[in-house]
Amino acid sequence: MRGPGTWWRGKSTPAKVETYTRCSFHFFAVMEVVSVALPVIGEMSSELGGWLLLMVCAHAAVSALIVSRALDWVCDRREQPVRLIWTLGAVTAAVAATGLAVVEYGPKGDGVDSAAGSVFGAVVFFGVGIMALGVHSRKRMSAVVAGFAAGAGLFVLLISRSAFAALVIALITLFGSGVFAFIAVFSVWLLKAVYELDQARETRARLAVAEERLRFGRDLHDVMGRNLSVIALKSELAVQLARRGRTEAVEQMIEVQRIAGESQREVRDVVRGYREVDLEVELAGAQGVLKAAGIECRVTGRTTGLPVEVQSALAWVVREATTNVLRHGNAGRCSVGVSVSEGRVVLTVENDGAAGAPDEGGGSGLAGLRERLAAVDGTLDAGHVGQAVFRLVAEVPLAGAGAREVTV
């Protein structure tokens, strides 16, 4: 059953940052209506207050729309919303000018002046900040901030004939809109940085997998290269002997047959992973792959001295668990522990990427591991521990072999 937090836990880190950024800037629009527009009604006449309320609500609606479109553009999902940005600029200027005009020509009273002034400040600060989401050029953003500051100062100078008041309004507009523009630009930079880091992490993980494939290719080449060369030479020798009518050709072909059969067995061992494997080497390799993918990995426990079949089975568990950590969830930490207790070897793998981990009962990877462990009378248990941890535990019987501490 899906809990109320499953939707959030199921998101990757970049998706969480994007959701947080969207909600934060959409909340600006809500704040604009609740903290600025609604108090206007209580301080002004119903007609004037109603018009200001309607204008601020329209400004908030356009701002919310631009937040969605601009962040989609930041994430390369749509074109830059240039027309909407110009529309928001025009609406912001109109509402701000109306607020200043009410201060100068509207009903007198400190409450009215305060309400109209808050309308001016809110629409300019929030408007410029939201416009900054869709403008990444520093020069253009600086021009927008400076343009609104200069425009506000000039408008105040025209309606009040006071240079001091115009300078104060211009400085307030410059500082307030500059702060909100900086917040928006920083938020966009952070969002893009998180996505780029996530892409880099995926690239490093793919490179680590590619390196492992190259290692497999080298192993296969080492196994088959020598044997195929020997087969080719002995086959050629057998052909020459047969042409001369010598019985040694039969012995050479028998040797070719033996080498071919041995090659088949070695290839099956390579493909199926049943070659003798040093578990400590696999643990060190898993730690290196996870670290290359940006995942903190800690390895503890006992490993060497175990029977070859036990090491081979547990090595496959380490490989599959490492693959799951890279492929599923959004893990930041992983721990691998090997212990020997009451005649059984216990391998435990835990990671904090439980949201995307494979279901404990499904997946061909886990089913394959259970089959491998069953061959050595072992068991596998995998599942979520709480809401943030996925744990995989493999147990294999041990027949009196010593072990020593891992030093990875």
Side-chain angles (χ1 to χ4, degrees):
M1 182 176 180
R2 298 174 65 88
T6 304
W7 169 78
W8 177 258
R9 292 195 304 270
K11 290 180 174 290
S12 64
T13 298
K16 289 179 179 178
V17 174
E18 180 183 346
T19 302
Y20 173 79
T21 304
R22 287 180 182 274
C23 292
S24 298
F25 282 95
H26 279 116
F27 187 65
F28 283 174
V30 176
M31 288 177 55
E32 186 176 348
V33 175
V34 174
S35 63
V36 177
L38 294 181
V40 167
I41 299 178
E43 299 294 341
M44 301 180 187
S45 63
S46 59
E47 183 177 357
L48 180 58
W51 279 108
L52 275 179
L53 174 63
L54 183 61
M55 294 178 70
V56 174
C57 289
H59 182 270
V62 176
S63 298
L65 178 60
I66 289 186
V67 168
S68 299
R69 299 293 178 85
L71 290 179
D72 284 343
W73 171 61
V74 169
C75 298
D76 296 325
R77 300 189 189 118
R78 66 169 67 239
E79 298 294 329
Q80 184 181 15
V82 178
R83 294 183 178 179
L84 279 176
I85 292 175
W86 279 104
T87 301
L88 178 60
V91 174
T92 300
V95 180
T98 302
L100 291 176
V102 170
V103 172
E104 185 66 24
Y105 302 114
K108 301 303 179 185
D110 293 339
V112 174
D113 293 345
S114 177
S118 64
V119 169
F120 164 78
V123 297
V124 172
F125 299 164
F126 291 164
V128 173
I130 291 175
M131 289 172 64
L133 293 175
V135 181
H136 291 176
S137 172
R138 293 182 180 179
K139 293 183 179 180
R140 293 181 180 179
M141 198 61 253
S142 300
V144 171
V145 173
F148 270 95
L154 180 60
F155 186 77
V156 171
L157 180 63
L158 292 175
I159 64 175
S160 67
R161 306 295 181 180
S162 172
F164 178 75
L167 179 61
V168 170
I169 291 298
L171 292 177
I172 292 175
T173 304
L174 182 64
F175 177 77
S177 59
V179 169
F180 276 86
F182 173 79
I183 293 173
V185 171
F186 179 78
S187 299
V188 168
W189 173 83
L190 179 63
L191 179 58
K192 295 183 68 175
V194 171
Y195 268 110
E196 289 174 358
L197 287 174
D198 187 67
Q199 291 175 355
R201 175 179 171 178
E202 291 180 357
T203 301
R204 292 169 66 180
R206 286 196 296 268
L207 289 175
V209 173
E211 183 178 354
E212 180 65 16
R213 289 176 177 174
L214 289 175
R215 186 179 71 85
F216 175 81
R218 288 193 298 268
D219 289 348
L220 190 61
H221 177 270
D222 293 342
V223 169
M224 293 300 298
R226 177 184 61 84
N227 290 351
L228 289 176
S229 298
V230 174
I231 288 174
L233 290 175
K234 287 188 172 293
S235 298
E236 183 179 356
L237 177 59
V239 170
Q240 294 177 0
L241 292 174
R243 287 176 177 174
R244 297 173 186 175
R246 301 179 60 177
T247 59
E248 290 89 341
V250 176
E251 297 178 359
Q252 295 296 328
M253 291 307 300
I254 293 175
E255 183 67 12
V256 168
Q257 184 180 20
R258 184 190 67 79
I259 296 175
E262 181 180 346
S263 298
Q264 286 181 326
R265 179 183 59 79
E266 290 181 345
V267 169
R268 285 195 297 267
D269 289 342
V270 171
V271 173
R272 296 177 183 175
Y274 287 124
R275 297 174 66 190
E276 295 184 3
V277 179
D278 187 348
L279 180 57
E280 184 172 346
V281 173
E282 291 301 325
L283 290 172
Q287 189 176 38
V289 169
L290 293 175
K291 185 176 295 184
I295 301 174
E296 179 185 350
C297 182
R298 182 171 177 266
V299 178
T300 58
R302 303 175 181 276
T303 175
T304 55
L306 301 177
V308 172
E309 61 274 12
V310 173
Q311 290 205 39
S312 178
L314 292 181
W316 264 104
V317 174
V318 172
R319 294 175 187 177
E320 181 65 23
T322 303
T323 301
N324 286 338
V325 173
L326 291 172
R327 184 179 299 169
H328 305 286
N330 188 38
R333 294 184 302 275
C334 179
S335 63
V336 183
V338 183
S339 62
V340 179
S341 176
E342 300 180 353
R344 299 181 70 85
V345 184
V346 180
L347 172 69
T348 304
V349 183
E350 290 187 355
N351 71 88
D352 58 357
D359 294 336
E360 51 186 291
S364 59
L366 296 183
L369 289 182
R370 289 190 172 93
E371 293 176 0
R372 294 179 186 278
L373 291 174
V376 290
D377 297 326
T379 60
L380 179 71
D381 183 25
H384 296 86
V385 180
Q387 297 181 344
V389 176
F390 185 83
R391 177 185 296 168
L392 185 149
V393 180
E395 294 188 18
V396 179
L398 177 64
R404 65 175 176 81
E405 292 291 330
V406 181
T407 55
V408 180

